[in-house]
Amino acid sequence: MLRERLGKDLLIFDGAMGTQLQEAGLKAGEIPEVYNIEHPEIIIDIHSRYLQSGANFITTNTFGCNPLKMADSGYCYCDLLKAAVKNARIARDKVNPNAYIALDIGPIGQLLEPLGTLTFDEAYEMIASQILIVKDQVDVVLLETMTDLYEVKAAILAVKENSDLPVFVTMTFEQNKRTLTGTDPLTFVNVVEGLGVDALGVNCSLGPNELKPIIDEILEVSSIPVMIQPNAGLPCLHNGQTCYEVTSDEYALARSIICKGVSVLLVDVVGQHQILLRN
């Protein structure tokens, strides 16, 4: 079982989906999740290549697959969700049947009260509906790129109260070591550990060097496995194309995070790399 491996084995996630879809033809303004139905062969190929690179996990193309974000997609979010998981399972069965499928859930797209208009119960129900559709088809739920700790709480409860799936949570921090809504690393760890998640960490926004101080703070207080999902730096435009200025060699400096008994293994993939650390 996956939970038995956590904290013992080095486990490697896949890399970015968005940059790979852009290389495959996704245009600005298009909805990535629509490719689950309209271009399944592209999604399956991306998953397959990550597995061939040595990833233990592939992440479903469902980052924004909720009723709000998919309202203008032309499809029911339910169908996009099912198609995404089907594509991941096809790739896994073809390349590595022992790999894990992570259901990717990103921010809902609206802030919760009192900062926004979305209620806690609405957020809970939205996440719960996704879980109930595919909970028997995935191995773990990844709540990623979260900025609002209140939304994180709603999402964790929705997963845990509607399934037995492991839950991994990553928040995205700014250079001031806080999330967009002001959460600091210590508060993040205390809250999500208290809610019983299986792994926690940081992702997106910053490169490995910039994330190191935040990871150091988290490692000092976390009693569960810690994830790091750094970007290859911030995106920039070059000749009309989105590029990342951090090179593969520079990205490999993430190995400097091997400290305090933590082991890290990297996969050479494009865009956002995701590594599960071992305490």
Side-chain angles (χ1 to χ4, degrees), residues 111-118 148 180-182:
L111 290 173
L112 272 66
E113 297 175 338
L115 296 176
T117 59
L118 195 68
D148 183 358
L180 179 65
T181 55

Side-chain angles (χ1 to χ4, degrees), residues 37 42 48-49 92 96 98-99 118 125 157 171 222 233-234:
I37 291 177
I42 293 177
S48 298
R49 287 189 285 116
R92 178 177 68 174
N96 180 8
N98 294 319
L118 195 68
E125 293 299 333
L157 291 175
M171 298 195 77
S222 177
L234 295 174

Side-chain angles (χ1 to χ4, degrees), residues 20 23 53 207-209 230-233 243-256 265-273 275:
Q20 299 302 295
E23 289 188 2
S53 296
N209 286 336
N231 267 3
C243 303
Y244 293 84
E245 295 184 338
V246 174
T247 66
S248 296
D249 289 340
E250 290 172 328
Y251 195 95
L253 292 177
R255 290 187 178 91
S256 65
L265 188 60
L266 298 176
V267 171
D268 187 15
V269 290
V270 177
Q272 178 177 301
H273 305 240
I275 306 102

Side-chain angles (χ1 to χ4, degrees), residues 201-218:
V202 301
N203 79 300
C204 202
S205 72
L206 303 173
N209 286 336
E210 292 81 7
L211 284 181
K212 186 177 181 301
I214 299 170
I215 285 290
D216 285 345
E217 287 191 24
I218 289 175

